[in-house]
Amino acid sequence: MISNQILQTTIEGIKNITRIDLCVSDTDGKILATTLNEPEIKEELILAFVESPADSQVISGFQFFKVFDDHQMEYVLLAKGNSDDVYMVGKLASFQIQNLLVAYKERFDKDNFIKNLLLDNLLLVDIYNRAKKLHIDTNIRRVVYIIETQHEKDSNALEMVRSLFAGKTKDFITAVDEKNIIVVKEVKQNESNEEMEKLAKVIVDMLNTEVMTKVHVAYGTVVNELKEVSRSYKEAKLALNVGKIFYSDKNVVAYSNLGIGRLIYQLPLSLCQMFITEIFDGRSPDEFDDETLSTINKFFENSLNVSETSRQLYIHRNTLVYRLDKLQKSTGLDLRVFEDAITFKIALMVVKYMRYMEKQDH
């Protein structure tokens, strides 16, 4: 069904050209859009016209028209006046709305097809048959982006994303749940990973600036056939979840750049708990005080370089060495030793993963 805003914009545009007032109602007599300043049409007149066999009729100074979609009446259009010019404008307006119905129906059908494709709800034969009917290419390169918004059913964000891809007939924008906008985008042969990353950042910046909402964008790998689009979607979903846990400072995450986070995310929680118990003897690394944690993180950021870490923390080198010695005594791990540093880094990531999964269960 066409939105009331689209109907209003359409009849206002026609009135600006013809200077003839128009009104659109549903088949129950409810006014959906009008250019009249005050309501001049009685509901019973519309209902009487709906029940009549006529497709058009003059009633109380208005031309009445029925608007059909596949022989099913969808709207009643009224044009103010009873002259031949008014009749012609009314017929043109009815024709325009009928064309809008066809266009929106096709868009709705494509939207449903893409949703079912992403969710693996289609048999292989159905994918190709329906794609052919909907004039969707099956053998072009595509990638799936997931845009997670702050608010559920963020229609402003959805429309803004649609406007960004307006005119690109081989791209599809849809939503499969309350907070995520999905973009199935065509990828040209010469497009690189850098360009896909750049587009993700453009989406983030645009929504942050225009809609004033912070978003996270994740995307999968490029697939070569329509039947593989669901794989790219699953990859993007995984990237979004892994990004929230391990790379919370990033608002763009690619499936191809998940690193060790990809492995940890797929570990069973029981195995994670055994690992933490084995390494820290029941103590969790996230129980350390803020000073210790910031020291550890900065040490890792600087590739275990004591001099550079102490400089960035604005502390004496000996102070940093003291903190590292203290940590070694409490954990048995010396972060200046590469193997111990790797163990500690993985442990921090495992704990992040465990805390995230615990929150999801509550």
Side-chain angles (χ1 to χ4, degrees):
M1 187 66 73
I2 308 169
S3 70
N4 292 354
Q5 184 179 356
I6 295 293
L7 289 172
Q8 186 68 39
T9 303
T10 300
I11 63 173
E12 283 178 357
I14 294 172
K15 184 193 173 177
N16 288 339
I17 297 169
T18 64
R19 299 185 182 179
I20 291 172
D21 280 304
L22 299 165
C23 178
V24 181
S25 83
D26 60 18
T27 53
D28 294 324
K30 180 184 175 184
I31 303 298
L32 304 176
T34 181
T35 62
L36 298 163
N37 293 326
E38 296 179 6
E40 301 178 27
I41 305 119
K42 295 180 180 177
E43 184 178 307
E44 56 265 29
L45 293 179
I46 297 174
L47 294 175
F49 175 66
V50 169
E51 295 298 324
S52 75
D55 287 344
S56 64
Q57 198 172 358
V58 178
I59 307 173
S60 299
F62 284 88
Q63 299 268 7
F64 282 64
F65 302 88
K66 291 176 181 175
V67 181
F68 295 91
D69 178 29
D70 273 346
H71 308 291
Q72 174 75 34
M73 195 192 320
E74 292 288 345
Y75 300 113
V76 174
L77 176 85
L78 297 88
K80 188 175 182 181
N82 52 19
S83 67
D84 289 344
D85 287 344
V86 172
Y87 176 81
M88 181 178 68
V89 169
K91 289 292 284 184
L92 285 170
S94 300
F95 180 71
Q96 176 68 11
I97 293 172
Q98 200 161 340
N99 283 340
L100 284 172
L101 279 169
V102 172
Y104 271 75
K105 188 176 180 182
E106 182 175 325
R107 174 170 156 180
F108 178 77
D109 288 344
K110 284 186 177 180
D111 192 61
N112 270 347
F113 171 69
I114 294 298
K115 283 179 183 177
N116 285 314
L117 180 68
L118 293 169
L119 297 173
D120 271 337
N121 291 339
L122 297 170
L123 297 173
L124 187 60
V125 64
D126 292 333
I127 292 174
Y128 287 101
N129 287 340
R130 291 188 63 185
K132 186 176 180 181
K133 287 180 182 177
L134 294 169
H135 309 291
I136 297 173
D137 290 334
T138 57
N139 292 318
I140 65 172
R141 287 155 45 89
R142 292 182 171 94
V143 67
V144 175
Y145 289 82
I146 296 181
I147 305 160
E148 185 181 72
T149 59
Q150 282 181 307
H151 311 292
E152 293 187 355
K153 295 183 179 178
D154 195 333
S155 57
N156 289 334
L158 181 59
E159 288 307 313
M160 186 61 65
V161 173
R162 282 193 170 132
S163 70
L164 180 63
F165 292 90
K168 297 180 181 178
T169 56
K170 294 181 181 179
D171 297 338
F172 303 97
I173 293 88
T174 187
V176 295
D177 54 37
E178 300 296 327
K179 291 186 74 173
N180 293 335
I181 300 167
I182 315 298
V183 178
V184 182
K185 186 188 179 301
E186 177 191 11
V187 179
K188 302 289 187 184
Q189 288 294 336
N190 59 349
E191 279 190 69
S192 63
N193 288 333
E194 289 75 18
E195 287 171 297
M196 289 190 287
E197 179 88 5
K198 184 178 178 181
L199 174 61
K201 290 177 179 176
V202 167
I203 293 171
V204 169
D205 292 342
M206 179 186 68
L207 292 177
N208 190 25
T209 305
E210 300 294 333
V211 190
M212 304 298 287
T213 184
K214 290 185 177 179
V215 299
H216 289 92
V217 177
Y219 59 96
T221 57
V222 176
V223 296
N224 295 310
E225 293 187 39
L226 190 64
K227 67 180 182 180
E228 297 175 330
V229 161
S230 63
R231 192 187 80 211
S232 187
Y233 170 64
K234 289 170 187 172
E235 291 171 348
K237 276 184 71 176
L238 178 66
L240 189 67
N241 289 333
V242 171
K244 286 180 191 174
I245 303 169
F246 304 117
Y247 315 111
S248 55
D249 56 323
K250 294 183 179 180
N251 46 29
V252 173
V253 182
Y255 176 80
S256 57
N257 293 325
L258 293 181
I260 198 171
R262 185 203 317 274
L263 297 176
I264 294 173
Y265 185 78
Q266 296 178 67
L267 293 174
L269 287 175
S270 57
L271 192 61
C272 293
Q273 187 58 59
M274 285 175 60
F275 174 72
I276 295 301
T277 302
E278 177 186 328
I279 299 300
F280 296 106
D281 194 25
R283 188 180 181 189
S284 174
D286 64 350
E287 292 175 8
F288 296 121
D289 59 74
D290 291 341
E291 181 184 81
T292 301
L293 284 173
S294 64
T295 300
I296 293 166
N297 290 327
K298 188 62 71 176
F299 194 52
F300 286 144
E301 282 177 27
N302 289 292
S303 304
L304 315 185
N305 186 309
V306 174
S307 299
E308 184 59 25
T309 302
S310 58
R311 187 185 69 80
Q312 290 189 20
L313 288 173
Y314 303 104
I315 59 175
H316 194 277
R317 178 189 173 93
N318 291 343
T319 304
L320 177 58
V321 170
Y322 169 75
R323 290 181 186 177
L324 294 174
D325 287 341
K326 184 180 175 184
L327 187 65
Q328 183 182 2
K329 286 179 183 177
S330 64
T331 64
L333 296 172
D334 185 354
L335 298 193
R336 290 158 292 193
V337 176
F338 184 69
E339 188 174 335
D340 286 359
I342 290 176
T343 301
F344 203 98
K345 178 67 174 177
I346 292 174
L348 287 175
M349 295 180 75
V350 167
V351 169
K352 273 189 177 182
Y353 168 61
M354 292 170 64
R355 296 291 177 264
Y356 176 82
M357 296 307 292
E358 285 170 6
K359 285 181 183 177
Q360 298 303 107
D361 291 338
H362 293 306

